[in-house]
Amino acid sequence: MPSTEVLGWLRTRFMPHIWCPGCGHGVIMHALIRALVELNKDKTQTVIASGIGCSSRMAGYINACTLHSTHGRSLAFATGVKLHKPELTVVDVMGDGDCSAIGGNHFIHACRRNIDITAVIMNNNIYGMTGGQASPTTPAGAWASTTPYGAIDPSFDLCKLAEGAGASYVARTTIANPKQAETFIMNGIRKKGFSVIEVVTHCHTQFGRKNDRRLPIDNYRYFKEVSVPLTKSKTMTPEELAGKVVCGEFVDKDVPEYTEQYAKVIESARKKG
Amino acid sequence: MFSDERDRPEQRPAGPTARDVAFWQGNTALAHGALLAGCNFFGGYPITPSTEIAEVMAEELPKIGGKFIQMEDEIGGIAAVIGASIAGAKALTATSGPGFSLKQENLGLAYIAEIPIVVVDVMRGGPSTGVPTKTAQQDVMQARWGTHGDHGTICYAPSSVQECYDLAIKAFDMAERFRQPVLILSDEVVGHMREKVTKKDPNKLKIVNRVRPSVPPDKFTPYEADPVTKVPAMAAFGDGYSWHVTGLTTNDWGFPTNNPSEIEKKMLRLVNKIDKGRKEIVEYEMEYMDGANVIVVAYGSVGRSALRAVRDARTRGIPAGFFRPVTLWPFPGEELARMALGAKIILVPELNCGQMVLEVERVIRGRSEVRGMSLVNGELFKPSAIRRMIEEVA
Ligand SMILES: Cc1ncc(C[n+]2csc(CCOP(=O)(O)OP(=O)(O)O)c2C)c(N)n1
Ligand code: SF4
């Protein structure tokens, strides 16, 4: 049962939610709210942005300043919010398709700018909302409604993508470890810079149905089986790591943050002008 | 052409001083007009022939503590601008042809979620990349109907550098007043030519700012419209109100709805608030309309050629008249129809294959002959070409 503090962050007026019973997105929402409670955040100073997808509906259910934008574009909207009011805490919740297909360009540029936004990616390896089409994280060989003969394209490693593009905090876990999700989200929000937390989750309705993980519980078992802590993964061979989900904090560095850099621009423009 | 007193250039007994006037490019004037209107955020992506607007904003905004960001594309540009406006900024984006196409989806979000922003499209020719460095007026219908779904549109077309400056101010005022995007459809000629601009005195200028909620946060219903204006008060993120913005059709609480009467209420209000406020929005200019038998309807840069043509025709004794919609949308159709009563023919020269002529036909309803004139070679109409046509049809 969620605590009263957690319940205070829910817009029960928006309920019932649209998620299938057992969908992993709820677990992630709970972890996010626990992190916000733990960090003592103020609902009127916290922005939750999102794009379009089952995952993105989360914004509506959280009692904060919420911005449910267009498919893939939420980070660009969030960038405008944050740059105008850097004092706000900005979290962007998105699906794997939202983040890395249609929103891929905004994603890498938000990483590059290192703007102080925390991106929580709910990676269920599929387009849930539109009925189970392949996404850029659908594993090669997996079945989706648009890959009736099996997916042939290789998938993205979202954490490597974020690291390569310059994010200052990058971590991954699964919904089978909600406490770790909460900790990573908290660390991400604390970080002054762009943070990416990939939470591997499931869409039993669309992905599980076609790929032998029909029930939510099948997915939890599966995630427990394939999760490997980052430290242990370092001792494993690439063959041993195939099909595994490496969990941990991959990047945690202090680099100049965008809105702080812009404050310096203002300073020098004022001196000059 | 000026809708009210405050829009009139200052009348000073001693005449303008150097500090009151500038010699600017249309794009530069537009940027300075926006700044005077209170613009404190710009997000965009470079594209000819609009880029100078971004460049001026990049230089000027930080001086006043405002923010400029060059985004990764035009989609991001308008998204950042909408986000900033939701956080309380007065925000501008500027683009041209291909970029205007890219902005259409998010423009729709600003319409439905009722977010005030100003979007400039400095028109260039052709579908796709077309002719980036030449002028055109081919985006007139896209401005009206470019994003999917119904909505009211507010769109201005400047025909001089002074008007780029004045209409930038008006555009911000209308965006704030009606809580929706306002478009400025400039064109390559107006954007790049240089003319004298009489600056407005910031101390005497009254600018419009969005109505803020007057109720405490727990009583705030984000989309409950004012019964008179049909426009809801708008909180800003960070102001102490927590509320939901979405592109889904919502009820007054801002919750997504599938309820037919709530859907209809929202849709009709989006359109009606503009219909109701038409008088505040619409501007037009007329010359030589007394007893005019041939009326030339022209907007933007073409308005300049047309006015000259009409004047020349008058000196030759032809009863020609000139009507220039400054507001393209809502189209000043009632006004035109009233003034054109009894005219034999209406000519509509435009730099496209016939877009606004359709609107003119619609409002004239066959009472006069309406004839379009198209020019799509990247050049501006020569006044003599329009004058010759006036002579031919008179
Ligand atoms: C521009 C645009 N293209 C397509 C869609 C349709 N669409 C809605 S959600 C979605 C995919 C969502 O997948 P993901 O982001 O992975 O989130 P999930 O639903 O799996 O949580 C798509 C393609 C849309 N809303 N907008
Ligand atoms: S379709 Fe999939 S992602 Fe969407 S709510 Fe159902 S289980 Fe979750």
Side-chain angles (χ1 to χ4, degrees):
Chain A
M1 208 25 216
S3 67
T4 42
E5 285 104 319
V6 166
L7 287 175
W9 278 82
L10 283 182
R11 276 195 187 115
T12 42
R13 213 198 278 260
F14 269 59
M15 311 275 175
H17 59 67
I18 64 153
W19 295 325
C20 305
C23 173
H25 294 339
V27 175
I28 300 167
M29 178 161 78
H30 196 184
L32 167 60
I33 295 180
R34 285 197 311 273
L36 292 168
V37 168
E38 191 67 28
L39 292 169
N40 222 358
K41 290 290 174 188
D42 176 344
K43 300 179 187 79
T44 67
Q45 303 300 312
T46 303
V47 176
I48 312 286
S50 71
I52 300 293
C54 294
S55 35
S56 288
R57 285 299 186 102
M58 184 182 292
Y61 304 135
I62 299 180
N63 189 11
C65 299
T66 53
L67 169 49
H68 178 229
S69 67
T70 47
H71 193 27
R73 318 298 175 193
S74 57
L75 280 169
F77 283 86
T79 297
V81 172
K82 182 73 187 180
L83 182 56
H84 183 61
K85 284 206 176 137
E87 66 275 19
L88 298 176
T89 299
V90 182
V91 178
D92 196 312
V93 294
M94 44 194 168
D96 45 292
D98 200 51
C99 162
S100 69
I102 191 163
N105 199 30
H106 306 300
F107 181 64
I108 56 173
H109 287 279
C111 293
R112 173 181 67 84
R113 273 184 207 110
N114 195 37
I115 187 160
D116 185 24
I117 294 172
T118 304
V120 178
I121 310 168
M122 292 164 254
N123 181 6
N124 58 9
N125 308 106
I126 200 86
Y127 289 0
M129 176 156 267
T130 42
Q133 300 77 27
S135 94
T137 60
T138 300
W143 308 103
S145 70
T146 46
T147 59
Y149 305 104
I152 52 166
D153 36 342
S155 56
F156 265 140
D157 179 327
L158 297 176
C159 288
K160 280 195 181 141
L161 185 63
E163 180 176 357
S168 61
Y169 178 86
V170 182
R172 180 195 288 124
T173 185
T174 78
I175 51 154
N177 195 345
K179 188 68 203 161
Q180 191 171 53
E182 177 190 329
T183 308
F184 287 176
I185 293 172
M186 224 156 65
N187 291 347
I189 294 174
R190 274 205 199 102
K191 186 90 216 167
K192 190 86 194 150
F194 192 70
S195 309
V196 176
I197 298 99
E198 177 189 355
V199 186
V200 178
T201 179
H202 64 91
C203 170
H204 54 289
T205 308
Q206 307 295 358
F207 186 88
R209 181 164 58 92
K210 288 186 155 58
N211 294 280
D212 273 344
R213 283 190 263 143
R214 193 173 275 277
L215 298 175
I217 191 71
D218 301 335
N219 290 279
Y220 284 87
R221 280 199 196 105
Y222 172 78
F223 292 145
K224 288 216 149 118
E225 225 172 83
V226 297
S227 298
V228 175
L230 179 60
T231 38
K232 183 170 173 210
S233 74
K234 290 184 175 148
T235 65
M236 292 165 70
T237 64
E239 292 73 33
E240 288 170 325
L241 279 171
K244 296 283 190 273
V245 178
V246 179
C247 298
E249 297 173 291
F250 303 99
V251 179
D252 186 354
K253 62 180 182 187
D254 293 313
V255 273
E257 190 273 332
Y258 189 79
T259 62
E260 289 183 345
Q261 293 298 102
Y262 200 88
K264 291 184 192 154
V265 170
I266 291 179
E267 223 173 276
S268 51
R270 279 188 164 146
K271 263 188 217 134
K272 212 179 115 195
Chain B
M1 72 182 273
F2 297 106
S3 65
D4 62 17
E5 281 303 310
R6 87 173 158 77
D7 277 317
R8 276 177 214 276
E10 300 295 326
Q11 297 291 318
R12 281 171 204 230
T17 65
R19 287 179 64 206
D20 303 324
V21 294
F23 189 61
W24 274 332
Q25 222 184 30
N27 284 344
T28 309
L30 201 152
H32 283 282
L35 289 163
L36 191 61
C39 174
N40 55 1
F41 192 99
F42 183 98
Y45 191 81
I47 186 166
T48 304
S50 77
T51 307
E52 296 84 5
I53 300 174
E55 289 169 345
V56 172
M57 296 311 265
E59 176 132 11
E60 297 301 323
L61 276 172
K63 291 183 193 167
I64 55 162
K67 312 288 167 70
F68 168 91
I69 187 164
Q70 181 173 324
M71 291 296 288
E72 47 275 11
D73 56 26
E74 287 86 347
I75 302 172
I78 188 170
V81 156
I82 295 170
S85 177
I86 293 168
K90 290 176 93 165
L92 173 73
T93 187
T95 189
S96 182
F100 193 48
S101 293
L102 284 179
K103 289 187 192 294
Q104 295 301 325
E105 187 200 8
N106 284 339
L107 194 55
L109 181 119
Y111 281 119
I112 201 165
E114 301 183 73
I115 311 301
I117 57 168
V118 176
V119 179
V120 179
D121 172 21
V122 185
M123 290 184 284
R124 60 193 234 183
S128 190
T129 311
V131 195
T133 54
K134 295 243 177 190
T135 197
Q137 296 178 316
Q138 297 174 20
D139 306 346
V140 168
M141 285 298 167
Q142 186 186 22
R144 178 65 187 93
W145 299 114
T147 196
H148 55 280
D150 270 331
H151 54 83
T153 302
I154 304 177
C155 174
Y156 294 99
S159 79
S160 66
V161 175
Q162 180 73 50
E163 231 176 28
C164 287
Y165 180 79
D166 295 342
L167 289 176
I169 301 168
K170 174 102 187 187
F172 269 98
D173 284 354
M174 294 300 104
E176 296 285 312
R177 163 69 182 80
F178 291 97
R179 265 193 80 170
Q180 78 155 29
V182 172
L183 312 176
I184 298 178
L185 235 51
S186 179
D187 62 62
E188 193 277 333
V189 166
V190 173
H192 281 165
M193 71 185 177
R194 286 173 192 275
E195 285 180 322
K196 189 178 102 175
V197 176
T198 305
K199 294 195 243 172
K200 290 178 197 269
D201 180 349
N203 300 318
K204 292 195 183 142
L205 183 72
K206 259 195 278 153
I207 54 169
V208 179
N209 288 314
R210 62 194 75 168
V211 174
R212 301 285 188 181
S214 51
V215 295
D218 58 317
K219 296 268 180 333
F220 181 51
T221 311
Y223 286 95
E224 188 176 46
D226 179 275
V228 178
T229 64
K230 306 283 177 225
V231 179
M234 185 173 172
F237 282 5
D239 269 3
Y241 294 80
S242 56
W243 55 294
H244 187 54
V245 179
T246 175
L248 288 161
T249 304
T250 67
N251 59 20
D252 286 357
W253 282 105
F255 302 161
T257 182
N258 279 320
N259 176 319
S261 61
E262 288 181 345
I263 296 170
E264 189 173 46
K265 180 179 166 193
K266 170 82 189 192
M267 285 306 303
L268 293 181
R269 190 171 60 71
L270 283 185
V271 176
N272 288 344
K273 69 176 178 183
I274 303 306
D275 288 347
K276 229 177 117 59
R278 204 180 165 282
K279 278 214 164 60
E280 288 173 67
I281 301 166
V282 171
E283 290 189 21
Y284 55 95
E285 184 194 5
M286 295 185 298
E287 298 273 357
Y288 307 108
M289 287 294 271
D290 282 347
N293 205 25
V294 181
I295 294 173
V296 183
V297 176
Y299 52 90
S301 56
V302 179
R304 306 167 72 96
S305 319
L307 179 57
R308 173 65 195 270
V310 166
R311 196 175 287 148
D312 290 351
R314 281 275 176 175
T315 52
R316 290 169 191 225
I318 302 167
F322 171 71
F323 185 97
R324 180 168 68 89
V326 174
T327 311
L328 299 187
W329 307 111
F331 186 69
E334 293 164 20
E335 294 80 356
L336 173 62
R338 199 166 53 237
M339 295 311 299
L341 273 182
K344 178 179 154 202
I345 183 163
I346 297 174
L347 295 177
V348 189
E350 9 177 23
L351 303 177
N352 56 49
C353 293
Q355 296 193 15
M356 208 46 121
V357 67
L358 301 173
E359 193 65 14
V360 175
E361 280 169 1
R362 194 177 71 77
V363 301
I364 295 300
R365 296 169 191 261
R367 285 184 298 247
S368 309
E369 186 190 335
V370 175
R371 196 181 294 181
M373 285 177 74
S374 285
L375 188 66
V376 286
N377 64 0
E379 305 280 316
L380 185 58
F381 277 103
K382 289 199 169 66
S384 57
I386 301 175
R387 195 206 66 232
R388 274 198 298 277
M389 181 61 93
I390 296 173
E391 288 169 339
E392 198 183 307
V393 301

